[in-house]
Amino acid sequence: METPTASGQTRRWRSLLLTESVKGRLTFGFGLLVVTLVIVVAVGAWFVRMHESDLAAAERSALIVSELQDAQRYGATELVVTQQYLNSGDVSLLPYVISYGASTREASANAQTYLQEQGNTSDLNKLNEINERYQDVFQPIAVMYQLGRLDEANTALLNAWPEIQQLGIEYDALTNAQLQRVADLRASANTTARWALWLLVISGAAGA
């Protein structure tokens, strides 16, 4: 039979053990909450960095698209004015041929720089290839009309038209690939932004 003294000690031990158990659970729960918040904040910060990275990459691709479109527009205008000069012999058109040619090369060089910064070796090589093929077509024609052989240059330009059209198709494909990249990156940026916002809401609710 348990004595009154022993019975009191037993109750005190049980009360102490219960108190320590509650404290332990509270401490464990608080620690788990802290760890969870740290993880949520860390993941949220990662999503923010991904969002900023996607936006920066999309902006660079948009610049590439702009320069490619400018180069194609200036190049097409250069060809039209060149053909007008070859048909008419109007030397007042030559400054425009030179100006549009310079603008074409400048825009193309800018696109090459941005592609290099992007690390897009495939598209950079393709752009270089298109430019080289364009020069192979147009350089001999330029030499002809500079020597005053306008009829010969005009015939050469007409004969080269299928190749010029093919180059235009390949240029369009290059531009469209960058446009798709812009769309994909912006979609990814929107997704990471939504995740970052949700994690911010969760961390705020958990810390409240």
Side-chain angles (χ1 to χ4, degrees):
M1 182 176 179
E2 200 174 14
T3 64
T5 302
S7 177
Q9 288 178 343
T10 300
R11 285 195 298 270
R12 283 196 297 272
W13 276 109
R14 287 176 179 173
S15 177
L16 182 60
L17 288 173
L18 180 60
T19 300
E20 291 300 324
S21 177
V22 172
K23 287 181 179 179
R25 290 174 183 174
L26 288 174
T27 301
F28 175 77
F30 180 75
L32 183 61
L33 176 61
V34 170
V35 171
T36 301
L37 284 174
V38 169
I39 293 173
V40 168
V41 170
V43 174
W46 181 80
F47 275 120
V48 169
R49 288 194 298 272
M50 287 295 297
H51 172 72
E52 293 173 349
S53 176
D54 286 342
L55 285 181
E59 182 179 354
R60 181 174 287 107
S61 289
L63 288 173
I64 294 171
V65 169
S66 177
E67 296 296 344
L68 289 174
Q69 289 175 336
D70 283 347
Q72 193 169 22
R73 183 173 66 254
Y74 289 133
T77 307
E78 178 190 9
L79 285 172
V80 170
V81 177
T82 298
Q83 193 166 38
Q84 289 175 344
Y85 165 65
L86 296 179
N87 287 327
S88 67
D90 184 357
V91 293
S92 66
L93 294 172
L94 281 176
Y96 296 101
V97 174
I98 295 171
S99 175
Y100 284 120
S103 297
T104 301
R105 289 188 292 274
E106 181 182 1
S108 182
N110 290 339
Q112 288 171 318
T113 299
Y114 292 139
L115 283 169
Q116 192 168 13
E117 291 175 353
Q118 190 185 66
N120 193 333
T121 306
S122 176
D123 284 358
L124 178 59
N125 290 340
K126 184 60 180 179
L127 178 58
N128 290 338
E129 178 200 331
I130 292 173
N131 288 339
E132 289 172 4
R133 287 163 58 194
Y134 179 81
Q135 288 301 317
D136 289 342
V137 169
F138 200 72
Q139 191 61 38
I141 297 172
V143 172
M144 290 176 196
Y145 71 67
Q146 288 167 5
L147 294 174
R149 294 150 50 188
L150 301 188
D151 289 340
E152 188 178 348
N154 194 22
T155 300
L157 181 59
L158 292 174
N159 290 337
W161 200 248
E163 174 65 9
I164 293 172
Q165 287 180 312
Q166 179 59 35
L167 290 173
I169 292 171
E170 294 178 22
Y171 216 97
D172 284 338
L174 193 63
T175 303
N176 290 336
Q178 285 295 323
L179 281 170
Q180 185 60 52
R181 180 177 173 83
V182 171
D184 292 343
L185 286 167
R186 285 177 177 169
S188 177
N190 289 336
T191 299
T192 53
R194 286 195 296 270
W195 276 108
L197 178 61
W198 275 110
L199 289 171
L200 178 63
V201 171
I202 292 170
S203 64

